[in-house]
Amino acid sequence: MAYQKPTGTQDLLPGTVEKWQFVEEKARDLCRRFNYREIRTPMFEQTELFERGVGETTDIVEKEMYTFKDKGDRSMTLRPEGTAGVVRSYVENKLYGEPDVTKLYYIGPMFRYERPQAGRYRQFHQFGIEAFGAVDPAIDAEVVSLGYQFCKDLGLQGVTVEINSVGNPASRAAYREKLLAFLTPMKDTLCKDCQSRMERNPMRVLDCKIDQDKFVDAPSILDSLDEECTTHFEQVKAYLTAMEVDFKVNHRLVRGLDYYTHTAFEYKAQGIGAIDTIGGGGRYNGLVGEIGGPDQPGIGFGIGLERILLILDKQEIDLQAVKPLDVYLVALGEAADREITKQLYLLRKEGFAAERDYLGRKMKAQMKSADRLKARYTAILGDDELSRGEIAVKSMETGEQQTVKLSELHLALRKSADKAE
């Protein structure tokens, strides 16, 4: 029987995984500069956490979750998104007791049962951040700008941000009445999902991908915002303008999760066809309390790494993620072979990326291997050189060769590397 990977998953092989590492390192460095600290939560949680935290009327909860019973007959779910688990950890570990704003980030796999397509998998990966404890619109702008800068640091072209305000509960209650008045006459023409959501959460209807053309004249929630919400949104836009973040207002943007309040936003990029959203997020001032914690505000985003890498490939952006070897060691003779094994370990201990032949090949084949691995240098040791305590070092770029003391090989390589830079 031939085994194959499950539908909607992928193997990240050498040559590709280095690109992932490059992107992840960019995310980690950016979070360090913005003072966000990493958090790692379980890949599965109690199902109720996602039902309450993500929202029962969302596509995620209604259709896409991987849910199972464990041996204790408890309902568990593979995490479909990152925020609910981070909020649970924030509450359980009493991080709200910290005197400063709690700023966290995560990188890891998520799971949703949906139809696989370009940039969309059943096991996918997200880079996300969450900031707890501040209602200041400046933190909204910081969160939006961090995701935007992540895309810019990677060299992505044509990235824009769409933002909206989904208001507070009072604003949404007023907007609900206006929206229902608009939607009710067309109810019978809408898809089944929209019809079922109209009574439970009519704003979610605007997120439908099937009936978008019918909502062109839908009332704008911005017209239902109270003074507090309007002021908050205007300040967020002012901060983003000052930061030179390329954004536009989309009054129909509601995002696919129930917990958002005030600011909602998405990152858009060209290169992945009709689905141009690479991530998004928003403010969720009631979510911490919903999950059992104190009334603490929060805001965050999640960005799909598969989509980021797909766009990088489509835009032909060279990540230079696969680093070349520093040196490939070539041994000619039994005694030299033993010494090479020792030198290989010593070089690696000194921080060099080093390799040698393990297949008993002749020198010509070993040099070809060094070339395939893009080694900067080869270090060639024969029994004669060994008897003199020397080794030949050859630059693979220029062909220049020098003989150095065997005991000073690492110093010679370091000096050559510094000179090249």
Side-chain angles (χ1 to χ4, degrees):
M1 178 179 178
Y3 294 102
Q4 295 181 318
K5 62 183 179 294
T7 300
T9 65
Q10 56 182 331
D11 296 316
L12 301 177
L13 303 177
T16 296
V17 77
E18 289 86 355
K19 296 178 181 179
W20 282 77
Q21 293 167 345
F22 179 89
V23 170
E24 290 165 3
E25 186 53 39
K26 284 287 187 182
R28 295 181 194 282
D29 179 65
L30 188 63
C31 287
R32 177 189 60 79
R33 283 148 49 196
F34 277 67
N35 193 35
Y36 285 73
R37 297 174 295 166
E38 185 176 9
I39 184 171
R40 302 186 184 189
T41 61
M43 277 190 254
F44 62 93
E45 303 263 8
Q46 297 175 52
T47 301
E48 185 183 359
L49 173 67
F50 299 115
E51 290 174 343
R52 296 185 65 182
V54 177
E56 293 183 355
T57 64
T58 62
D59 283 347
I60 294 173
V61 171
E62 288 185 336
K63 304 175 182 179
E64 299 170 359
M65 295 202 309
Y66 276 94
T67 298
F68 61 94
K69 289 289 186 73
D70 68 7
K71 292 187 177 181
D73 202 34
R74 293 169 289 243
S75 181
M76 312 299 288
T77 296
L78 297 178
R79 62 185 185 195
E81 55 91 52
T83 299
V86 173
V87 172
R88 189 269 312 149
S89 181
Y90 174 78
V91 172
E92 182 177 350
N93 293 288
K94 296 182 172 59
L95 298 183
Y96 49 79
E98 297 180 355
D100 299 312
V101 174
T102 302
K103 298 164 70 173
L104 307 168
Y105 79 90
Y106 59 86
I107 301 173
M110 311 292 163
F111 305 85
R112 296 183 193 173
Y113 190 87
E114 54 186 351
R115 184 170 62 85
Q117 53 185 288
R120 176 175 287 176
Y121 296 87
R122 291 177 179 176
Q123 177 178 319
F124 60 100
H125 300 75
Q126 281 189 345
F127 157 48
I129 68 170
E130 314 291 349
F132 300 98
V135 295
D136 190 334
I139 196 73
D140 299 46
E142 176 182 286
V143 167
V144 174
S145 70
L146 194 157
Y148 181 75
Q149 191 59 45
F150 174 60
C151 297
K152 302 297 280 187
D153 283 358
L154 289 171
L156 292 181
Q157 303 297 313
V159 176
T160 60
V161 182
E162 291 188 359
I163 66 170
N164 191 25
S165 174
V166 293
N168 55 23
S171 297
R172 284 198 301 277
Y175 179 60
R176 175 190 172 96
E177 298 306 314
K178 295 179 182 179
L179 186 58
L180 280 174
F182 171 79
L183 293 173
T184 300
M186 66 175 73
K187 180 177 181 179
D188 293 340
T189 69
L190 300 178
C191 72
K192 291 182 179 180
D193 286 340
C194 288
Q195 292 181 25
S196 67
R197 287 172 180 158
M198 275 183 59
E199 295 302 324
R200 295 182 294 162
N201 189 352
M203 283 183 64
R204 286 282 294 113
V205 175
L206 298 179
D207 199 42
C208 176
K209 301 300 184 289
I210 298 173
D211 292 323
Q212 271 299 309
D213 59 323
K214 299 175 182 175
F215 308 140
V216 174
D217 297 323
S220 170
I221 190 171
L222 300 179
D223 295 330
S224 297
L225 299 183
D226 59 21
E227 184 177 355
E228 175 210 352
C229 295
T230 300
T231 300
H232 186 100
F233 192 46
E234 291 301 319
Q235 288 179 321
V236 171
K237 291 190 292 181
Y239 284 128
L240 292 176
T241 299
M243 293 174 174
E244 298 183 347
V245 172
D246 185 8
F247 76 91
K248 66 177 182 179
V249 176
N250 176 0
H251 71 88
R252 293 207 303 273
L253 174 63
V254 296
R255 297 288 295 151
L257 306 173
D258 283 355
Y259 49 60
Y260 288 120
T261 58
H262 290 288
T263 310
F265 58 92
E266 288 185 344
Y267 302 104
K268 304 282 188 176
Q270 298 174 351
I272 51 176
I275 304 174
D276 59 354
T277 303
I278 56 177
R283 179 170 279 282
Y284 44 85
N285 289 352
L287 183 58
V288 174
E290 178 69 22
I291 290 179
D295 186 19
Q296 287 286 318
I299 183 170
F301 70 65
I303 292 178
L305 296 187
E306 280 83 359
R307 294 189 179 186
I308 289 286
L309 284 149
L310 180 60
I311 297 171
L312 287 168
D313 182 59
K314 294 287 187 182
Q315 295 185 358
E316 298 182 342
I317 296 172
D318 182 10
L319 299 181
Q320 297 181 334
V322 180
K323 303 253 189 299
L325 280 179
D326 292 313
V327 60
Y328 189 98
L329 303 182
V330 177
L332 306 172
E334 290 186 18
D337 188 78
R338 287 192 296 272
E339 180 63 25
I340 282 294
T341 300
K342 170 188 169 184
Q343 291 295 327
L344 182 68
Y345 174 75
L346 293 176
L347 287 171
R348 288 168 171 170
K349 192 167 71 168
E350 288 290 332
F352 291 96
E355 186 57 283
R356 59 154 291 171
D357 176 62
Y358 290 103
L359 301 176
R361 294 176 291 191
K362 297 190 180 299
M363 180 177 175
K364 184 177 180 180
Q366 292 187 51
M367 295 299 286
K368 285 184 177 179
S369 180
D371 191 52
R372 282 195 301 273
L373 294 171
K374 295 181 172 56
R376 292 191 175 98
Y377 299 94
T378 52
I380 306 163
L381 183 66
D383 289 345
D384 290 343
E385 289 85 0
L386 179 59
S387 66
R388 298 193 300 269
E390 297 176 339
I391 188 168
V393 178
K394 178 181 178 181
S395 168
M396 296 294 283
E397 181 180 1
T398 66
E400 294 179 2
Q401 186 167 307
Q402 61 176 319
T403 300
V404 302
K405 291 182 179 180
L406 193 56
S407 60
E408 297 178 358
L409 175 58
H410 68 287
L411 296 175
L413 289 170
R414 188 83 67 196
K415 183 177 180 181
S416 297
D418 291 343
K419 187 177 179 181
E421 292 177 359

